[in-house]
Amino acid sequence: MNIIRTTSAMTDWSRRLHREGVTIGFVPTMGALHEGHRALIRAARLACDAVVVSIFVNPTQFGPAEDLAKYPRQLRLDRALCAKEGVDAIFAPPAEAMYPAGFQTIVAVPTLARLWEGAARPHHFQGVATVVTKLLSLVQPDISWFGQKDFQQAALVRRLAKDLHLPGMLRVHPTVRERDGLALSSRNVYLSAQQREAAPVLYRALQAGAAAIRGGERRGERIQRLMAQTVKAQRSVTAEYLAVCDPSTLELLPILQRHAILLGAIRVGSVRLLDNMPVAIRRKP
Ligand code: PAF
């Protein structure tokens, strides 16, 4: 397995493989790899001849009061997981390679970035859009995989890739969950035992929303209220938002018609957790 540290070595590696007719699958990550990442790597392995995983804790997507310094870093473990999954290369550049002195270009997807996570984390998505643009340009993948757990990120990257003609296709892989429904996330390691016990309330709230829709409820506000009540019952958890949205614009849906995405974010102590659940309303035949 190659460990690639420089941007020029990354493009050389991709160009060589493409010349040889090898297809490249790409899984962008910030490391602290877990079963959710493993599922993305396996999907990439199945679809492409070679797989590259990027491990880069991107400073520009963290706000000044956020957890950049304490974001989990465990390259040795991540390398072992990648080696076990047959990954061909890890792209792990130092921050100076991605953002050298004089760097000043930023990529913005203003409308999608303003909502939900963007409201809580004002510069987050411009950091994501900038680094994803750079990563896709360097790796030149045939297909890239993103996790559905970060639904807004996936929607924004889709928009970005389309608008800027970024290379390769995008695939969004379903969220991988613990047995009790908690969506896997690198931030779950911050939860104390008690907080870990409380955290699946977000999944239960989304399930309650989806069940109401299956039961015939179509009013977005009612569904949101139901989800909020579920979270409220868990006293140690605060809801940041629980919303019924259009899956492509992420705007609130007052009345559900066909497809919707239930989006949620909660705070458990100092840990913010996200999750979502797509719902489709079947028309009566
Ligand atoms: O989802 C993540 O891990 C990051 O936001 C990404 C897409 C690797 C960009 O830094």
Side-chain angles (χ1 to χ4, degrees), residues 43-148:
R45 208 21 330 134
L46 278 175
C48 293
D49 302 321
V51 175
V52 54
V53 173
S54 65
I55 296 180
F56 178 62
V57 183
N58 173 37
T60 63
Q61 68 188 75
F62 289 80
E66 291 180 10
D67 53 356
L68 172 64
K70 77 176 190 46
Y71 195 85
R73 288 164 174 84
Q74 44 170 61
L75 191 56
R76 213 166 46 82
L77 291 173
D78 291 346
R79 276 173 79 149
L81 185 147
C82 288
K84 194 153 174 253
E85 293 303 324
V87 166
D88 299 275
I90 291 179
F91 178 44
E96 315 80 75
M98 292 295 274
Y99 299 109
F103 182 92
Q104 55 174 297
T105 305
I106 52 160
V107 181
V109 188
T111 306
L112 277 170
R114 155 182 71 79
L115 301 160
W116 312 119
E117 281 309 284
R121 307 177 68 192
H123 298 293
H124 173 67
F125 283 124
Q126 87 181 25
V128 171
T130 303
V131 81
V132 169
T133 304
K134 288 168 71 66
L135 289 169
L136 294 184
S137 307
L138 290 165
V139 175
Q140 296 282 318
D142 292 275
I143 314 180
S144 306
W145 275 263
F146 291 82
Q148 191 195 297

Side-chain angles (χ1 to χ4, degrees), residues 177-196:
R177 299 181 180 283
E178 302 279 7
R179 275 168 178 274
D180 57 9
L182 179 66
L184 295 194
S185 161
S186 304
R187 289 195 165 90
N188 291 354
V189 297
Y190 300 144
L191 297 169
S192 68
Q194 253 180 345
Q195 290 169 336
R196 170 64 190 80

